[in-house]
């Protein structure tokens, strides 16, 4: 199997698995229990919190464990909204191509009377600091802009956006789920007040993540219960998963440079090869781009058919995001960067990890053009286009 869907989830690293086992087999006590078997788990939890904080230049007190990236996004946004409405601030600035964990939370707030301003995304997949500077107002309680987009891989100028918010004393949250473990994060230098992490996007276990909230930032609870997470999230901590997450994040962060050097070579080879397919276009920015992300639109094909035929050849890829596949709506991200519906339907995302090899890239470069050719040849629409009865949308 060739796995090229690392933006959907990643394979757990050996180190992460080994870090979890002792907390299932030996040290399985409840960290809230006062006897030694519980306190050993509490000490492990504290060390994991410190190690995760260290990876993003935060302190342990600023890390709140959650069930994943979605929960962290929900908690960050709802906290800023609840705080804002107390002083009549009900304006929130975000962008049109955020993850649904952000967009759907904002939609909920809109129904409650918040004014949600979604910034346009440029055709290259970028949101620029000037747009944020223009949008923020006296009554803005939150700016939430993702660090890196999960579909088209574009990387936002987070430090600059953070600086604008800091100067205006507006809370700034970033969904860094696709960035963590792949790009350097420094919450202090980058002026970040809140940041979401998800373990299974950097070779850790699923169902665990974290919200970083700068000291002094007020949080509301999504889950009421015990005093865990300094009273901000009830429920017995998932100690094995947290240990796996800490180990995976440390390992990924220690290898960012070597992994990215390798990924850039693989990614660029893939982009060069796929660009040769006629009537194709790369989505996202070529410079501000995650080192493992490739995303193309091919005119005249259905992304879903392409995926199924790739699967027959042992290649795992994605079209749109995993959350929307299964529905017939095209990706909101591709629509946000201005691709027409028909083109957005024919998209392919390949997201690499450092485990991929040159041989795998070559196999993908053999498979994709053959399948695209095959699908175009059986399409009546395509016949119309090549016979000039319909226009091509991608030159
Ligand atoms: C995967 C992902 C999420 C959701 O994370 P989960 O841990 O799966 O809930 C949120 N935002 C982005 C950008 C993602 O890629």
């Amino acid at each position: 199997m060739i796995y090229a869907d690392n933006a959907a989830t990643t394979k757990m690293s050996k180190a992460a698995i080994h870090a979890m086992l002792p907390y299932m087999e030996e040290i399985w006590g409840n960290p809230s229990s006062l006897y030694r078997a519980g306190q050993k788990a509490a000490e492990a939890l504290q060390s994991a919190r410190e190690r995760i904080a260290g990876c993003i230049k935060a302190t342990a007190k600023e890390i709140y464990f959650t069930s994943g990236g979605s929960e962290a996004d929900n908690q960050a946004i709802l906290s800023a909204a609840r705080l804002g409405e107390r002083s009549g601030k009900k304006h929130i600035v975000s962008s049109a191509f955020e993850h649904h964990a952000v967009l759907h939370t904002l939609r909920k707030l809109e129904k409650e009377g918040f004014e949600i301003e979604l910034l346009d995304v440029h055709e290259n997949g970028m949101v620029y600091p000037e747009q944020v500077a223009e949008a923020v107002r006296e009554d803005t309680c939150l700016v939430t802009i993702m660090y890196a987009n999960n579909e088209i891989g574009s990387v936002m100028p987070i430090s600059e956006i953070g600086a604008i918010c800091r100067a205006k004393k507006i809370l700034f949250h970033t969904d860094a789920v696709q960035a963590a473990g792949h790009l350097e994060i420094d919450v202090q230098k980058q002026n970040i007040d809140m940041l979401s992490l998800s373990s299974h996007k950097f070779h850790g276990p699923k169902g665990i993540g974290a919200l970083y909230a700068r000291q002094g930032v007020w949080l509301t609870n999504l889950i009421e219960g015990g005093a865990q997470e300094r009273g901000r999230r009830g429920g017995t901590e998932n100690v094995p998963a947290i240990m796996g997450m800490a180990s995976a994040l440390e390992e990924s962060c220690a290898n960012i440079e070597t992994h990215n050097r390798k990924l850039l070579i693989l990614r660029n080879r893939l982009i060069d090869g796929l660009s040769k397919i006629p009537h194709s276009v790369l989505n996202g920015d070529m410079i501000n781009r995650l080192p493992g992300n490739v995303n193309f639109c091919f005119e005249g094909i259905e992304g879903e058919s392409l995926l199924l035929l790739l699967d027959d050849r042992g290649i795992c890829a994605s079209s749109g995001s995993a959350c929307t596949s299964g529905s017939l709506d095209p990706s909101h991200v591709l629509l946000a960067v201005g691709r027409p519906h028909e083109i957005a339907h024919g998209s392919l995302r390949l997201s690499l990890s450092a485990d991929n090899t040159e041989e795998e890239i070559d196999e993908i470069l053999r498979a994709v053009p053959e399948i695209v050719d095959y699908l175009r040849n059986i399409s009546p629409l395509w016949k119309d286009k090549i016979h000039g009865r319909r226009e091509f949308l991608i030159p």
Side-chain angles (χ1 to χ4, degrees):
M1 179 181 87
I2 298 177
Y3 189 72
D5 201 16
N6 287 277
T9 196
T10 56
K11 180 181 173 182
M12 276 186 70
S13 74
K14 287 276 183 295
I17 295 171
H18 288 305
M20 291 175 75
L21 289 174
Y23 296 91
M24 297 190 261
E25 292 177 331
E26 296 146 36
I27 310 166
W28 41 262
N30 188 323
S32 299
S33 300
L34 291 179
Y35 40 78
R36 251 167 299 175
Q39 285 312 297
K40 273 193 166 176
E43 280 160 28
L45 193 63
Q46 178 57 17
S47 89
R49 206 184 292 282
E50 282 165 15
R51 288 157 59 205
I52 289 168
C55 292
I56 60 168
K57 310 289 185 289
T59 60
K61 284 196 297 264
E62 298 172 312
I63 301 296
Y64 298 84
F65 291 116
T66 64
S67 64
S70 301
E71 185 186 328
D73 284 342
N74 275 255
Q75 190 169 15
I77 293 167
L78 290 172
S79 296
R82 296 298 166 239
L83 182 69
E85 68 188 346
R86 283 192 225 157
S87 49
K89 295 183 174 180
K90 296 180 81 171
H91 177 243
I92 298 178
V93 175
S94 186
S95 78
F97 77 158
E98 297 294 314
H99 191 270
H100 283 135
V102 168
L103 288 178
H104 291 176
T105 306
L106 294 176
R107 192 185 292 167
K108 183 160 94 176
L109 288 169
E110 193 164 41
K111 286 192 187 124
E112 285 181 25
F114 280 81
E115 189 183 336
I116 309 299
E117 190 166 341
L118 298 183
L119 300 176
D120 290 336
V121 183
H122 286 250
E123 200 191 334
N124 62 359
M126 297 298 289
V127 174
Y128 292 107
E130 303 81 68
Q131 294 174 267
V132 175
E134 245 173 66
V136 291
R137 313 190 307 216
E138 283 290 300
D139 63 339
T140 306
C141 61
L142 173 70
V143 171
T144 172
I145 303 282
M146 69 201 315
Y147 198 131
N149 184 272
N150 45 305
E151 289 190 37
I152 56 178
S154 48
V155 178
M156 300 311 112
I158 287 305
S159 308
E160 288 83 352
I161 295 174
I164 290 166
C165 298
R166 190 59 57 86
K168 301 231 152 110
K169 298 194 169 64
I170 296 167
L171 284 173
F172 174 50
H173 165 253
T174 186
D175 175 338
V177 170
Q178 291 291 332
H182 307 283
L183 302 173
E184 298 287 347
I185 297 179
D186 182 327
V187 290
Q188 295 174 45
K189 278 200 192 128
Q190 293 176 301
N191 309 300
I192 298 166
D193 295 315
M194 291 185 281
L195 173 143
S196 305
L197 294 176
S198 174
S199 152
H200 75 103
K201 303 289 175 75
F202 49 76
H203 305 278
K206 294 174 188 35
I208 189 75
L211 172 61
Y212 152 81
R214 188 170 54 76
Q215 204 174 359
V217 170
W218 180 84
L219 292 182
T220 186
N221 286 42
L222 301 186
I223 299 180
E224 301 295 344
Q228 293 92 351
E229 302 306 299
R230 295 171 301 287
R232 299 276 69 97
R233 188 197 192 262
T236 303
E237 302 87 343
N238 188 345
V239 180
I242 289 168
M243 300 315 285
M245 173 175 169
S247 151
L249 186 60
E250 274 191 329
E251 191 184 27
S252 299
C253 289
N255 291 302
I256 285 180
E257 264 183 55
T258 41
H259 283 172
N260 287 0
R261 215 172 302 132
K262 179 181 177 192
L263 278 171
L264 277 180
I265 294 169
L266 297 179
R267 182 199 79 183
N268 291 345
R269 186 178 170 124
L270 202 44
I271 290 179
D272 286 346
L274 295 178
S275 303
K276 297 197 181 100
I277 296 177
H279 306 287
S280 68
V281 63
L282 178 73
N283 296 307
D285 196 52
M286 199 49 211
I287 296 158
N288 300 305
R289 186 180 200 99
L290 284 173
N293 175 284
V294 175
N295 190 314
F296 272 88
C297 284
F298 302 110
E299 181 154 4
I301 65 151
E302 281 291 336
E304 311 276 300
S305 319
L306 175 57
L307 291 194
L308 293 177
L309 293 172
L310 281 171
D311 186 31
D312 284 343
R313 297 176 63 151
I315 299 169
C316 305
S318 145
S319 177
S321 64
C323 328
T324 44
S325 31
S327 79
L328 282 173
D329 290 335
S331 144
H332 71 286
V333 173
L334 295 176
L335 296 181
V337 296
R339 300 289 180 227
H341 273 247
E342 185 192 328
I343 296 302
H345 270 299
S347 72
L348 173 69
R349 177 186 73 186
L350 297 155
S351 44
L352 308 176
S353 84
D355 295 335
N356 288 115
T357 63
E358 297 215 2
E359 291 71 38
E360 291 179 334
I361 301 302
D362 290 341
E363 174 55 20
I364 296 172
L365 285 175
R366 275 190 295 273
V368 176
E370 282 175 24
I371 298 171
V372 168
D373 241 11
Y374 167 77
L375 289 172
R376 283 174 172 173
N377 284 332
I378 59 170
S379 153
L381 205 75
W382 187 255
K383 285 210 181 71
D384 281 354
K385 292 192 182 201
I386 52 176
H387 292 117
R389 291 189 293 268
R390 246 174 209 273
E391 289 209 4
F392 282 107
L393 298 173
I394 304 175

mmCIF file of all heavy atoms in Angstrom, residues 49 56 60-66 68-69 71-77 79 173-174 193-197 209-214 217 219-220 229-230 245:
data_model
loop_
_atom_site.group_PDB
_atom_site.id
_atom_site.type_symbol
_atom_site.label_atom_id
_atom_site.label_comp_id
_atom_site.label_asym_id
_atom_site.label_seq_id
_atom_site.Cartn_x
_atom_site.Cartn_y
_atom_site.Cartn_z
ATOM 1 N N ARG A 49 2.839 17.130 29.774
ATOM 2 C CA ARG A 49 2.370 18.505 29.594
ATOM 3 C C ARG A 49 3.560 19.448 29.363
ATOM 4 O O ARG A 49 3.533 20.306 28.487
ATOM 5 C CB ARG A 49 1.589 18.926 30.846
ATOM 6 C CG ARG A 49 0.554 19.996 30.620
ATOM 7 C CD ARG A 49 -0.117 20.424 31.927
ATOM 8 N NE ARG A 49 -0.958 19.419 32.553
ATOM 9 C CZ ARG A 49 -2.198 19.114 32.158
ATOM 10 N NH1 ARG A 49 -2.739 19.734 31.134
ATOM 11 N NH2 ARG A 49 -2.895 18.193 32.786
ATOM 12 N N ILE A 56 6.153 23.963 21.621
ATOM 13 C CA ILE A 56 5.574 25.170 21.015
ATOM 14 C C ILE A 56 5.964 26.432 21.799
ATOM 15 O O ILE A 56 5.379 27.485 21.618
ATOM 16 C CB ILE A 56 4.030 25.064 20.875
ATOM 17 C CG1 ILE A 56 3.353 24.881 22.248
ATOM 18 C CG2 ILE A 56 3.651 23.913 19.945
ATOM 19 C CD1 ILE A 56 1.836 25.074 22.199
ATOM 20 N N ALA A 60 3.766 24.580 30.801
ATOM 21 C CA ALA A 60 2.856 23.462 31.066
ATOM 22 C C ALA A 60 1.473 23.950 31.491
ATOM 23 O O ALA A 60 0.459 23.369 31.110
ATOM 24 C CB ALA A 60 3.456 22.543 32.127
ATOM 25 N N LYS A 61 1.439 25.042 32.242
ATOM 26 C CA LYS A 61 0.154 25.570 32.735
ATOM 27 C C LYS A 61 -0.764 26.060 31.618
ATOM 28 O O LYS A 61 -1.945 26.307 31.837
ATOM 29 C CB LYS A 61 0.410 26.787 33.655
ATOM 30 C CG LYS A 61 0.903 26.434 35.036
ATOM 31 C CD LYS A 61 0.735 27.639 35.979
ATOM 32 C CE LYS A 61 1.562 28.836 35.563
ATOM 33 N NZ LYS A 61 2.848 29.019 36.202
ATOM 34 N N GLU A 62 -0.179 26.243 30.444
ATOM 35 C CA GLU A 62 -0.954 26.798 29.328
ATOM 36 C C GLU A 62 -1.507 25.712 28.401
ATOM 37 O O GLU A 62 -2.119 26.019 27.380
ATOM 38 C CB GLU A 62 -0.078 27.774 28.531
ATOM 39 C CG GLU A 62 0.381 28.960 29.379
ATOM 40 C CD GLU A 62 1.398 29.844 28.680
ATOM 41 O OE1 GLU A 62 2.387 29.311 28.123
ATOM 42 O OE2 GLU A 62 1.240 31.072 28.696
ATOM 43 N N ILE A 63 -1.272 24.442 28.749
ATOM 44 C CA ILE A 63 -1.721 23.327 27.904
ATOM 45 C C ILE A 63 -2.948 22.662 28.528
ATOM 46 O O ILE A 63 -2.914 22.255 29.692
ATOM 47 C CB ILE A 63 -0.595 22.270 27.747
ATOM 48 C CG1 ILE A 63 0.654 22.900 27.116
ATOM 49 C CG2 ILE A 63 -1.065 21.054 26.948
ATOM 50 C CD1 ILE A 63 0.477 23.413 25.702
ATOM 51 N N TYR A 64 -4.027 22.546 27.764
ATOM 52 C CA TYR A 64 -5.260 21.879 28.206
ATOM 53 C C TYR A 64 -5.494 20.698 27.267
ATOM 54 O O TYR A 64 -5.665 20.902 26.054
ATOM 55 C CB TYR A 64 -6.449 22.842 28.137
ATOM 56 C CG TYR A 64 -6.270 24.035 29.054
ATOM 57 C CD1 TYR A 64 -5.537 25.151 28.639
ATOM 58 C CD2 TYR A 64 -6.803 24.031 30.339
ATOM 59 C CE1 TYR A 64 -5.343 26.237 29.486
ATOM 60 C CE2 TYR A 64 -6.618 25.120 31.193
ATOM 61 C CZ TYR A 64 -5.888 26.215 30.760
ATOM 62 O OH TYR A 64 -5.695 27.290 31.596
ATOM 63 N N PHE A 65 -5.507 19.487 27.800
ATOM 64 C CA PHE A 65 -5.740 18.333 26.928
ATOM 65 C C PHE A 65 -7.213 18.255 26.537
ATOM 66 O O PHE A 65 -8.107 18.541 27.347
ATOM 67 C CB PHE A 65 -5.282 17.036 27.619
ATOM 68 C CG PHE A 65 -3.787 16.977 27.758
ATOM 69 C CD1 PHE A 65 -3.176 16.958 29.008
ATOM 70 C CD2 PHE A 65 -2.980 16.960 26.625
ATOM 71 C CE1 PHE A 65 -1.796 16.929 29.134
ATOM 72 C CE2 PHE A 65 -1.588 16.925 26.732
ATOM 73 C CZ PHE A 65 -1.002 16.920 27.991
ATOM 74 N N THR A 66 -7.437 17.868 25.280
ATOM 75 C CA THR A 66 -8.791 17.742 24.741
ATOM 76 C C THR A 66 -8.873 16.404 24.011
ATOM 77 O O THR A 66 -7.888 15.671 23.943
ATOM 78 C CB THR A 66 -9.094 18.855 23.721
ATOM 79 O OG1 THR A 66 -8.216 18.695 22.595
ATOM 80 C CG2 THR A 66 -8.885 20.250 24.310
ATOM 81 N N GLY A 68 -9.112 16.128 20.893
ATOM 82 C CA GLY A 68 -8.548 16.277 19.559
ATOM 83 C C GLY A 68 -8.604 17.712 19.085
ATOM 84 O O GLY A 68 -8.927 18.635 19.865
ATOM 85 N N GLY A 69 -8.328 17.880 17.807
ATOM 86 C CA GLY A 69 -8.297 19.212 17.212
ATOM 87 C C GLY A 69 -9.675 19.869 17.203
ATOM 88 O O GLY A 69 -9.811 21.069 17.460
ATOM 89 N N GLU A 71 -12.268 19.498 19.227
ATOM 90 C CA GLU A 71 -12.669 20.011 20.543
ATOM 91 C C GLU A 71 -11.875 21.257 20.915
ATOM 92 O O GLU A 71 -12.423 22.221 21.466
ATOM 93 C CB GLU A 71 -12.504 18.930 21.627
ATOM 94 C CG GLU A 71 -13.032 19.407 22.978
ATOM 95 C CD GLU A 71 -12.755 18.416 24.120
ATOM 96 O OE1 GLU A 71 -12.722 17.197 23.874
ATOM 97 O OE2 GLU A 71 -12.585 18.892 25.251
ATOM 98 N N ALA A 72 -10.597 21.262 20.605
ATOM 99 C CA ALA A 72 -9.767 22.429 20.922
ATOM 100 C C ALA A 72 -10.277 23.655 20.163
ATOM 101 O O ALA A 72 -10.381 24.755 20.734
ATOM 102 C CB ALA A 72 -8.304 22.144 20.572
ATOM 103 N N ASP A 73 -10.625 23.487 18.888
ATOM 104 C CA ASP A 73 -11.175 24.596 18.098
ATOM 105 C C ASP A 73 -12.475 25.099 18.726
ATOM 106 O O ASP A 73 -12.678 26.304 18.895
ATOM 107 C CB ASP A 73 -11.469 24.138 16.654
ATOM 108 C CG ASP A 73 -10.199 24.005 15.810
ATOM 109 O OD1 ASP A 73 -9.156 24.565 16.203
ATOM 110 O OD2 ASP A 73 -10.261 23.347 14.752
ATOM 111 N N ASN A 74 -13.366 24.175 19.063
ATOM 112 C CA ASN A 74 -14.647 24.543 19.683
ATOM 113 C C ASN A 74 -14.427 25.329 20.976
ATOM 114 O O ASN A 74 -15.035 26.375 21.199
ATOM 115 C CB ASN A 74 -15.472 23.284 20.010
ATOM 116 C CG ASN A 74 -16.290 22.790 18.828
ATOM 117 O OD1 ASN A 74 -17.495 22.971 18.782
ATOM 118 N ND2 ASN A 74 -15.634 22.197 17.848
ATOM 119 N N GLN A 75 -13.543 24.814 21.820
ATOM 120 C CA GLN A 75 -13.348 25.447 23.124
ATOM 121 C C GLN A 75 -12.725 26.837 22.991
ATOM 122 O O GLN A 75 -13.135 27.775 23.679
ATOM 123 C CB GLN A 75 -12.491 24.565 24.047
ATOM 124 C CG GLN A 75 -12.484 25.077 25.493
ATOM 125 C CD GLN A 75 -11.871 24.083 26.473
ATOM 126 O OE1 GLN A 75 -11.205 23.133 26.071
ATOM 127 N NE2 GLN A 75 -12.089 24.310 27.766
ATOM 128 N N ALA A 76 -11.767 26.971 22.094
ATOM 129 C CA ALA A 76 -11.103 28.273 21.904
ATOM 130 C C ALA A 76 -12.117 29.314 21.440
ATOM 131 O O ALA A 76 -12.204 30.418 21.996
ATOM 132 C CB ALA A 76 -9.979 28.134 20.878
ATOM 133 N N ILE A 77 -12.908 28.954 20.430
ATOM 134 C CA ILE A 77 -13.823 29.924 19.827
ATOM 135 C C ILE A 77 -14.953 30.275 20.793
ATOM 136 O O ILE A 77 -15.284 31.449 20.986
ATOM 137 C CB ILE A 77 -14.373 29.365 18.497
ATOM 138 C CG1 ILE A 77 -13.226 29.271 17.496
ATOM 139 C CG2 ILE A 77 -15.510 30.222 17.956
ATOM 140 C CD1 ILE A 77 -13.555 28.455 16.261
ATOM 141 N N SER A 79 -14.922 30.107 24.000
ATOM 142 C CA SER A 79 -14.391 30.872 25.139
ATOM 143 C C SER A 79 -14.299 32.354 24.790
ATOM 144 O O SER A 79 -14.771 33.211 25.553
ATOM 145 C CB SER A 79 -13.003 30.353 25.536
ATOM 146 O OG SER A 79 -13.099 29.024 25.998
ATOM 147 N N HIS A 173 -6.711 33.221 17.823
ATOM 148 C CA HIS A 173 -6.626 31.757 17.861
ATOM 149 C C HIS A 173 -6.186 31.244 16.499
ATOM 150 O O HIS A 173 -6.580 31.790 15.462
ATOM 151 C CB HIS A 173 -8.000 31.154 18.196
ATOM 152 C CG HIS A 173 -8.090 29.677 17.907
ATOM 153 N ND1 HIS A 173 -8.808 29.164 16.837
ATOM 154 C CD2 HIS A 173 -7.516 28.597 18.515
ATOM 155 C CE1 HIS A 173 -8.701 27.837 16.825
ATOM 156 N NE2 HIS A 173 -7.925 27.472 17.828
ATOM 157 N N THR A 174 -5.354 30.204 16.488
ATOM 158 C CA THR A 174 -5.021 29.556 15.223
ATOM 159 C C THR A 174 -5.175 28.052 15.344
ATOM 160 O O THR A 174 -4.751 27.439 16.331
ATOM 161 C CB THR A 174 -3.607 29.955 14.727
ATOM 162 O OG1 THR A 174 -3.418 29.387 13.423
ATOM 163 C CG2 THR A 174 -2.486 29.465 15.643
ATOM 164 N N ASP A 193 -2.529 33.639 21.028
ATOM 165 C CA ASP A 193 -3.198 33.538 22.331
ATOM 166 C C ASP A 193 -3.748 32.137 22.569
ATOM 167 O O ASP A 193 -3.766 31.645 23.685
ATOM 168 C CB ASP A 193 -4.355 34.544 22.409
ATOM 169 C CG ASP A 193 -3.850 35.972 22.358
ATOM 170 O OD1 ASP A 193 -2.861 36.264 23.061
ATOM 171 O OD2 ASP A 193 -4.422 36.777 21.594
ATOM 172 N N MET A 194 -4.277 31.525 21.501
ATOM 173 C CA MET A 194 -4.828 30.168 21.612
ATOM 174 C C MET A 194 -4.448 29.393 20.358
ATOM 175 O O MET A 194 -4.407 29.966 19.265
ATOM 176 C CB MET A 194 -6.357 30.218 21.759
ATOM 177 C CG MET A 194 -6.819 30.787 23.089
ATOM 178 S SD MET A 194 -8.611 30.676 23.260
ATOM 179 C CE MET A 194 -9.126 32.075 22.275
ATOM 180 N N LEU A 195 -4.189 28.093 20.542
ATOM 181 C CA LEU A 195 -3.733 27.288 19.406
ATOM 182 C C LEU A 195 -4.214 25.847 19.591
ATOM 183 O O LEU A 195 -4.169 25.311 20.693
ATOM 184 C CB LEU A 195 -2.202 27.366 19.344
ATOM 185 C CG LEU A 195 -1.432 26.505 18.358
ATOM 186 C CD1 LEU A 195 -0.238 27.296 17.812
ATOM 187 C CD2 LEU A 195 -0.918 25.227 18.991
ATOM 188 N N SER A 196 -4.701 25.239 18.502
ATOM 189 C CA SER A 196 -5.221 23.872 18.565
ATOM 190 C C SER A 196 -4.232 22.874 17.986
ATOM 191 O O SER A 196 -3.615 23.133 16.948
ATOM 192 C CB SER A 196 -6.516 23.758 17.750
ATOM 193 O OG SER A 196 -7.457 24.713 18.177
ATOM 194 N N LEU A 197 -4.129 21.723 18.667
ATOM 195 C CA LEU A 197 -3.240 20.643 18.235
ATOM 196 C C LEU A 197 -4.034 19.340 18.150
ATOM 197 O O LEU A 197 -4.974 19.143 18.918
ATOM 198 C CB LEU A 197 -2.154 20.400 19.281
ATOM 199 C CG LEU A 197 -1.117 21.464 19.567
ATOM 200 C CD1 LEU A 197 -0.226 20.978 20.714
ATOM 201 C CD2 LEU A 197 -0.282 21.705 18.332
ATOM 202 N N GLY A 209 -5.776 15.552 21.816
ATOM 203 C CA GLY A 209 -5.239 16.793 21.274
ATOM 204 C C GLY A 209 -5.043 17.755 22.419
ATOM 205 O O GLY A 209 -5.133 17.372 23.589
ATOM 206 N N ALA A 210 -4.761 18.994 22.085
ATOM 207 C CA ALA A 210 -4.566 19.979 23.149
ATOM 208 C C ALA A 210 -4.954 21.354 22.659
ATOM 209 O O ALA A 210 -4.876 21.657 21.467
ATOM 210 C CB ALA A 210 -3.116 19.980 23.615
ATOM 211 N N LEU A 211 -5.390 22.153 23.622
ATOM 212 C CA LEU A 211 -5.583 23.578 23.380
ATOM 213 C C LEU A 211 -4.524 24.303 24.188
ATOM 214 O O LEU A 211 -4.413 24.092 25.401
ATOM 215 C CB LEU A 211 -6.987 24.017 23.831
ATOM 216 C CG LEU A 211 -7.256 25.522 23.806
ATOM 217 C CD1 LEU A 211 -7.126 26.095 22.400
ATOM 218 C CD2 LEU A 211 -8.645 25.835 24.364
ATOM 219 N N TYR A 212 -3.714 25.127 23.499
ATOM 220 C CA TYR A 212 -2.826 26.039 24.212
ATOM 221 C C TYR A 212 -3.620 27.319 24.441
ATOM 222 O O TYR A 212 -4.244 27.832 23.497
ATOM 223 C CB TYR A 212 -1.566 26.323 23.378
ATOM 224 C CG TYR A 212 -0.966 27.689 23.672
ATOM 225 C CD1 TYR A 212 -0.157 27.893 24.790
ATOM 226 C CD2 TYR A 212 -1.227 28.778 22.853
ATOM 227 C CE1 TYR A 212 0.360 29.151 25.078
ATOM 228 C CE2 TYR A 212 -0.717 30.041 23.134
ATOM 229 C CZ TYR A 212 0.074 30.222 24.245
ATOM 230 O OH TYR A 212 0.567 31.461 24.537
ATOM 231 N N ALA A 213 -3.660 27.790 25.673
ATOM 232 C CA ALA A 213 -4.269 29.093 25.949
ATOM 233 C C ALA A 213 -3.277 29.871 26.805
ATOM 234 O O ALA A 213 -2.908 29.426 27.902
ATOM 235 C CB ALA A 213 -5.603 28.943 26.662
ATOM 236 N N ARG A 214 -2.823 30.984 26.268
ATOM 237 C CA ARG A 214 -1.841 31.824 26.950
ATOM 238 C C ARG A 214 -2.316 32.134 28.360
ATOM 239 O O ARG A 214 -3.517 32.291 28.603
ATOM 240 C CB ARG A 214 -1.650 33.130 26.169
ATOM 241 C CG ARG A 214 -0.529 34.029 26.656
ATOM 242 C CD ARG A 214 -0.269 35.156 25.668
ATOM 243 N NE ARG A 214 -1.465 35.930 25.348
ATOM 244 C CZ ARG A 214 -2.015 36.844 26.156
ATOM 245 N NH1 ARG A 214 -1.496 37.100 27.347
ATOM 246 N NH2 ARG A 214 -3.097 37.504 25.780
ATOM 247 N N VAL A 217 -5.637 33.936 29.623
ATOM 248 C CA VAL A 217 -6.769 33.841 28.698
ATOM 249 C C VAL A 217 -7.858 32.997 29.352
ATOM 250 O O VAL A 217 -7.599 31.868 29.778
ATOM 251 C CB VAL A 217 -6.338 33.230 27.348
ATOM 252 C CG1 VAL A 217 -7.553 32.915 26.478
ATOM 253 C CG2 VAL A 217 -5.390 34.163 26.611
ATOM 254 N N LEU A 219 -11.015 30.601 29.809
ATOM 255 C CA LEU A 219 -11.634 29.520 29.031
ATOM 256 C C LEU A 219 -12.968 29.127 29.635
ATOM 257 O O LEU A 219 -13.133 29.110 30.852
ATOM 258 C CB LEU A 219 -10.730 28.279 29.010
ATOM 259 C CG LEU A 219 -9.410 28.374 28.253
ATOM 260 C CD1 LEU A 219 -8.685 27.032 28.305
ATOM 261 C CD2 LEU A 219 -9.616 28.805 26.807
ATOM 262 N N THR A 220 -13.919 28.783 28.764
ATOM 263 C CA THR A 220 -15.181 28.228 29.218
ATOM 264 C C THR A 220 -15.093 26.709 29.070
ATOM 265 O O THR A 220 -14.332 26.198 28.250
ATOM 266 C CB THR A 220 -16.365 28.795 28.406
ATOM 267 O OG1 THR A 220 -17.578 28.328 28.996
ATOM 268 C CG2 THR A 220 -16.342 28.348 26.956
ATOM 269 N N GLU A 229 -7.645 19.256 34.305
ATOM 270 C CA GLU A 229 -7.264 20.384 33.428
ATOM 271 C C GLU A 229 -7.579 21.722 34.099
ATOM 272 O O GLU A 229 -8.145 22.622 33.498
ATOM 273 C CB GLU A 229 -7.938 20.267 32.050
ATOM 274 C CG GLU A 229 -7.618 18.973 31.305
ATOM 275 C CD GLU A 229 -6.126 18.724 31.174
ATOM 276 O OE1 GLU A 229 -5.437 19.548 30.554
ATOM 277 O OE2 GLU A 229 -5.636 17.699 31.708
ATOM 278 N N ARG A 230 -7.158 21.815 35.346
ATOM 279 C CA ARG A 230 -7.366 23.031 36.147
ATOM 280 C C ARG A 230 -8.814 23.525 36.085
ATOM 281 O O ARG A 230 -9.100 24.719 35.990
ATOM 282 C CB ARG A 230 -6.383 24.120 35.702
ATOM 283 C CG ARG A 230 -4.927 23.733 35.999
ATOM 284 C CD ARG A 230 -3.907 24.653 35.412
ATOM 285 N NE ARG A 230 -3.996 24.761 33.964
ATOM 286 C CZ ARG A 230 -3.621 23.810 33.108
ATOM 287 N NH1 ARG A 230 -3.159 22.647 33.569
ATOM 288 N NH2 ARG A 230 -3.716 23.989 31.822
ATOM 289 N N MET A 245 1.053 11.053 22.564
ATOM 290 C CA MET A 245 1.069 12.351 21.889
ATOM 291 C C MET A 245 2.357 13.122 22.192
ATOM 292 O O MET A 245 2.977 13.700 21.291
ATOM 293 C CB MET A 245 -0.141 13.171 22.349
ATOM 294 C CG MET A 245 -0.156 14.599 21.867
ATOM 295 S SD MET A 245 -1.726 15.381 22.364
ATOM 296 C CE MET A 245 -1.402 17.079 22.010
#
